[in-house]
Amino acid sequence: MKIDRLTVLSLLITIIIAPFLLPGADDAADEALVAKALLWHERALTVDTHCDTPFKLLEKGWDIGQYHKTGERGSGCQDLPRMKEGGLDASFFAVFVGQGPRTPEGHARAKEKAVATLDAMDAMYRKYPDLCGLALTPADARRLEKEGKRAIFIGMENGYPLGQDPALIDYFYKRGVRYVTLAHTADNDICDSSTDRKDPEDRGLSEWGRQVVRRLNDLGVMVDVSHISDRSFSEVLALSRAPVIASHSCARALSASPRNLSDDMLLALKRNGGVIQLCILDDYIKQPPANPERDRAFAELWQRIDETYGGWGGIKDKAVRDKVEAEYDALGARYPNPPVYVKDAVDHIDHIVRLIGIEHVGIGTDFDGGGGLADCRDVTELKNITIELVRRGYDEDAVAKIWGGNAMRVMQKVMDLAKK
Ligand SMILES: [Zn+2]
């Protein structure tokens, strides 16, 4: 087609004027769909099975009871008022400790860090009894939802703080921990990680790891298989008497990250009765194109953060954190990756549902741990996921299962199978 002046003019008129015209049939249909999605989002018990917000509790000058504006420097992905605005009823807050030396001293320090995070969470429940409460069971979450409070569960990301001490498994259970992610980004005494670059050999689950899985089963604590190596995954599934959770992972068939689950692993998860909670972290949803310069620049920044503060979570001062965050954002702007959207995340959900059915998938955002998408930057924008699900034809029952029904079913089953 030859583009003449008239075509350009009519195009321009369409672009400029169209938004001011009365809504057509399509717009009205879309408005009705969005209204339906928001209603279903409101009616469901919405559960996010993974976020790293607790490290912000330890940060001076940041208050989880205060409303922080989306996108503002240092605001993080959520606080209690924003969780309410976003219609998120329940969330598993991660007690996270990065992997360090596998020595008695290293284990003692890891335990100390985990205890400090748990203490900060206890202080949160005490300070904001009208905004949130500790949830230990699905029934707790439903009760707190009725009271209009956020239900905050506790998960432990990385079993490193357990050292090799069986008594610590029981101790952390008593402190409220209801899942343990066996490993993080590096191998530990429990099992091998999916991303340990220093030691690519996959040794799977150790003898101590087997003891941990058995004790977690007996206590009724969920075993979390996110982050662990493929061999660890299959050895855990062979051993566990209870269903497992992948608290924040995606489908490897759509994005080849070792952090994601292959179709074979997803099929094994279905046989186990467990659940995969989709992680809305851009790199897991869509692998970015190779960019060695970007990788190098970020590796340097991370190394500096590790050396100066002992990791991201070690930055306790808000002003310092804002400065480092600005540096991080500047690097991202200098070496941009293509944006990843909610629709890309829902492609993973579609794939998982086609492969293993609607009973085995949910959502674990990884907010404040790298999670967030171009059109779902924080908890107030989670509704965009529901809108996309409804657009693709998921009914209210399916939406409720994805938004927490499945995760709560697995949690209840794990509790029912406990032998205390
Ligand atoms: Zn993680």
Side-chain angles (χ1 to χ4, degrees), residues 383-405:
K383 291 164 181 171
N384 290 340
I385 298 177
T386 314
I387 293 168
E388 183 63 21
L389 288 169
V390 175
R391 209 163 258 151
R392 295 195 191 191
Y394 288 88
D395 63 17
E396 184 169 11
D397 182 55
V399 166
K401 280 178 175 159
I402 293 169
W403 259 128

Side-chain angles (χ1 to χ4, degrees), residues 129-150:
D130 298 333
L131 299 182
C132 69
L134 169 66
L136 298 172
T137 65
D140 285 343
R142 284 189 289 270
R143 170 180 51 80
L144 286 158
E145 185 205 17
K146 284 205 182 72
E147 293 171 9
K149 299 174 189 173
R150 302 312 102 195

Side-chain angles (χ1 to χ4, degrees), residues 50 52 157 184 227 248 259 366:
H50 190 81
D52 283 299
E157 184 176 34
H184 189 238
H227 280 292
H248 59 305
R259 269 286 281 109
D366 213 357

Side-chain angles (χ1 to χ4, degrees), residues 48 50-56 59 62 64 66-86 88 91 93 280-281 325 365-373 376-382:
D48 173 4
H50 190 81
C51 75
D52 283 299
T53 307
F55 85 84
K56 291 190 75 72
E59 184 184 296
W62 189 84
I64 194 158
Q66 297 295 319
Y67 186 94
H68 302 79
K69 266 201 203 125
T70 302
E72 211 161 76
R73 167 95 42 233
S75 62
C77 293
Q78 59 187 13
D79 46 54
L80 295 169
R82 261 189 297 170
M83 287 168 78
K84 185 168 188 164
E85 181 183 321
L88 183 63
S91 179
F93 275 31
I280 56 165
L281 193 149
E325 236 181 76
T365 60
D366 213 357
F367 275 154
D368 292 321
L373 303 168
C376 186
R377 294 166 296 167
D378 77 348
V379 70
T380 63
E381 297 180 338
L382 277 181

